[in-house]
Amino acid sequence: MARIGNIELGEFPLLLAPMEDVSDPPFRALCKEQGADVVYTEFISAEGLIRDAAKSVQKLDIYDKERPVGIQIFGANLESMLRTVEIVERSNPDFIDINYGCPVKKVVSKGAGAGILKDIPLMVKLTESMVKHTNLPITVKTRLGWDNDSIHILEVAERLQDVGTKAIAIHGRTRAQMYKGKANWQPIADVKNNHRMHIPVFGNGDVDSPEKAKLMQDKFGLDGAMIGRASIGNPWFFAQVKHFLKTGEQLESPSISQRVSTAKRHLEMAIEWNGDRAGLFETRRHYTNYFKGIPHFKEYRLKMVTSDTKEEVFQVFDEVLEKFT
Ligand SMILES: Cc1cc2nc3c(=O)[nH]c(=O)nc-3n(C[C@H](O)[C@H](O)[C@H](O)COP(=O)(O)O)c2cc1C
C-alpha cells in the first residue's frame, strides 16, 4: 500500500503527471474518472503567485471530486517559496509538490525546476524549510540529475526523505536530456532499493503502454507509475493500465461514440471552468489524440479547431459520429 503522509493510495497507484496547459481541472476530472489515483495541477510559479498573476492564481482551482490532488509549485527563492506555501494552503490541496525537474531554459536559468539540481544543498534546505512551514505533506518531483556526470539521485532522494519529504516522483532522464532518448528507470529502482528509503518512490518517463507500467511495478519494483504524455487526449489510458495490471488482459480501445462523448464533456467542462473562448481554445490540443486512427481526420480536425462556438464544434463531433459509426 503506497501512502503520501496519511493518504492511502492503494497498491501501485497511477498518478497523472503535472503538465502545463494540460492537467487543468477538466482534464484531471476525466483522468480521475478513468482511474487515476492521484492528480497534480500544472506547475505554478511562486513568483507569479505572489504577484497575484491571473494565470498562476487560476491554476489553484481544485475540486473535491478529484482528491487526492497535489498543487505543484516551482521557484528557487526561500522566502517566496514559503509565502507560496501559505497561499497554496488556502486552496486546501491534499499535498504540495515541489517541481525540481522542469528543464526549460526560462525556469532553470533562475535556478528553479531542474536548475536546482546544480545546487543540492539549496534543494535540501528549501525542502526542509517548506516541510517545517506547513502541516500538509510535501512531495518532490525531480529528474535523475543535471547531466550524465551528475547523477546523484540516490543521495538526493535520501536527503530529501530525511528532511521530511513524503514521496518522491522521479523522471528517468537528466535535465540535459530534456525529453530526448529513453527514460532510464534503473536509477529510480536503485533509489527504491536503498534500504534506508521508506517513502514511496514513483517512476516517471515513457510509460506509454500497460505493459510498461507492469514492468515498472514488477521488474523495477517501484511504488507507482506517474503518467504524462500517454494520457493527453487519452484519459482511457488509466483504465487500460489498471485493467491490464489486474487481469493481464488488454482492455478494448474506446469506441468512436465514447471518444465523441468524452470530447464533448471535456469541451463543456472547459467552458464551464474557463469561459467560452478559453474553453474552446484549450480543448483544441486534445482533438488529434481523441480521434487518433480515424481516416482523413485532418479535415474534421481543421473544422473543430476553426469553429468559434461550442455548437459548431459539437456539430463536427456529430459528423464524425455519423460518418464512422
Ligand atoms: C506538455 C507537458 C507539460 C509539462 N508540464 C509539467 C509541469 O508543469 N510540471 C512538471 O513537473 N512536469 C511537467 N511535464 C513533465 C511531465 O510531468 C513528465 O515528467 C514527463 O512528460 C515524462 O513523463 P511521460 O513520459 O509519461 O510524459 C510536462 C510535460 C509535458 C509533455
Side-chain angles (χ1 to χ4, degrees):
M1 165 81 76
R3 272 195 188 89
I4 297 178
N6 294 328
I7 313 162
E8 298 196 344
L9 306 175
E11 193 77 17
F12 200 71
L14 304 181
L15 299 81
L16 169 64
M19 283 184 284
E20 167 81 340
D21 288 333
V22 177
S23 60
D24 57 10
F27 185 62
R28 297 199 302 262
L30 293 172
C31 291
K32 183 84 195 178
E33 280 172 23
Q34 294 297 325
D37 297 290
V38 181
V39 298
Y40 292 68
T41 64
E42 305 163 73
F43 71 169
I44 308 181
S45 153
E47 307 300 335
L49 208 53
I50 289 167
R51 268 200 325 273
D52 213 22
K55 190 168 182 205
S56 303
V57 174
Q58 194 193 29
K59 289 180 185 171
L60 290 173
D61 281 358
I62 54 170
Y63 299 89
D64 277 340
K65 65 180 176 187
E66 57 184 344
R67 289 186 187 282
V69 53
I71 291 183
Q72 193 193 56
I73 58 177
F74 71 97
N77 177 280
L78 176 58
E79 204 178 307
S80 306
M81 289 299 262
L82 295 183
R83 276 180 66 195
T84 300
V85 165
E86 292 164 18
I87 300 170
V88 166
E89 274 180 335
R90 287 184 227 136
S91 297
N92 196 22
D94 296 283
F95 62 97
I96 298 177
D97 185 69
I98 320 175
N99 177 323
Y100 291 140
C102 177
V104 308
K105 220 179 205 158
K106 203 172 80 187
V107 172
V108 298
S109 64
K110 297 195 178 96
I116 209 153
L117 289 165
K118 283 177 146 180
D119 189 348
I120 305 298
L122 177 64
M123 184 188 197
V124 174
K125 185 171 161 218
L126 273 184
T127 311
E128 179 173 26
S129 306
M130 290 163 72
V131 167
K132 286 184 174 152
H133 203 64
T134 179
N135 289 325
L136 288 172
I138 294 283
T139 63
V140 161
K141 176 168 180 277
T142 189
R143 289 186 174 231
L144 299 181
W146 176 259
D147 59 18
N148 246 337
D149 298 326
S150 61
I151 298 185
H152 305 300
I153 190 66
L154 208 60
E155 172 206 336
V156 168
E158 223 182 283
R159 291 179 67 183
L160 292 173
Q161 169 183 272
D162 290 348
V163 296
T165 303
K166 291 291 190 288
I168 183 165
I170 304 170
H171 179 181
R173 287 186 173 86
T174 62
R175 188 275 169 175
Q177 275 181 290
M178 306 294 282
Y179 288 89
K180 292 192 291 279
K182 214 175 133 207
N184 181 4
W185 297 347
Q186 191 52 51
I188 315 177
D190 294 343
V191 170
K192 174 66 198 167
N193 290 333
N194 174 357
H195 70 277
R196 284 209 64 243
M197 289 299 285
H198 53 79
I199 60 170
V201 179
F202 300 124
N204 173 238
D206 301 349
V207 178
D208 55 10
S209 67
E211 288 85 349
K212 283 205 194 159
K214 188 153 175 56
L215 211 59
M216 203 173 240
Q217 181 179 26
D218 292 351
K219 182 167 172 222
F220 290 85
L222 300 182
D223 292 306
M226 177 182 272
I227 293 163
R229 290 166 293 178
S231 70
I232 302 179
N234 185 20
W236 304 280
F237 188 65
F238 290 98
Q240 288 164 351
V241 172
K242 282 253 143 120
H243 186 79
F244 185 78
L245 293 179
K246 202 164 150 197
T247 66
E249 281 165 21
Q250 299 284 353
L251 204 59
E252 262 182 53
S253 298
S255 65
I256 304 268
S257 67
Q258 270 174 301
R259 298 195 221 178
V260 166
S261 81
T262 299
K264 279 185 176 176
R265 288 195 44 236
H266 195 158
L267 178 55
E268 269 174 341
M269 288 195 281
I271 287 175
E272 192 180 323
W273 176 62
N274 214 358
D276 288 342
R277 219 180 131 66
L280 273 175
F281 277 127
E282 71 182 34
T283 319
R284 287 178 179 169
R285 73 173 60 86
H286 291 270
Y287 295 149
T288 304
N289 282 2
Y290 272 144
F291 298 105
K292 215 176 214 162
I294 292 182
H296 311 297
F297 178 65
K298 249 187 181 165
E299 78 186 75
Y300 294 99
R301 185 182 167 277
L302 190 67
K303 281 200 260 180
M304 286 174 194
V305 301
T306 50
S307 297
D308 287 326
T309 63
K310 179 182 105 177
E311 289 69 29
E312 280 176 53
V313 182
F314 270 34
Q315 224 165 31
V316 189
F317 288 160
D318 289 337
E319 274 177 50
V320 168
L321 206 53
E322 204 161 291
K323 177 101 198 234
F324 297 106
T325 55

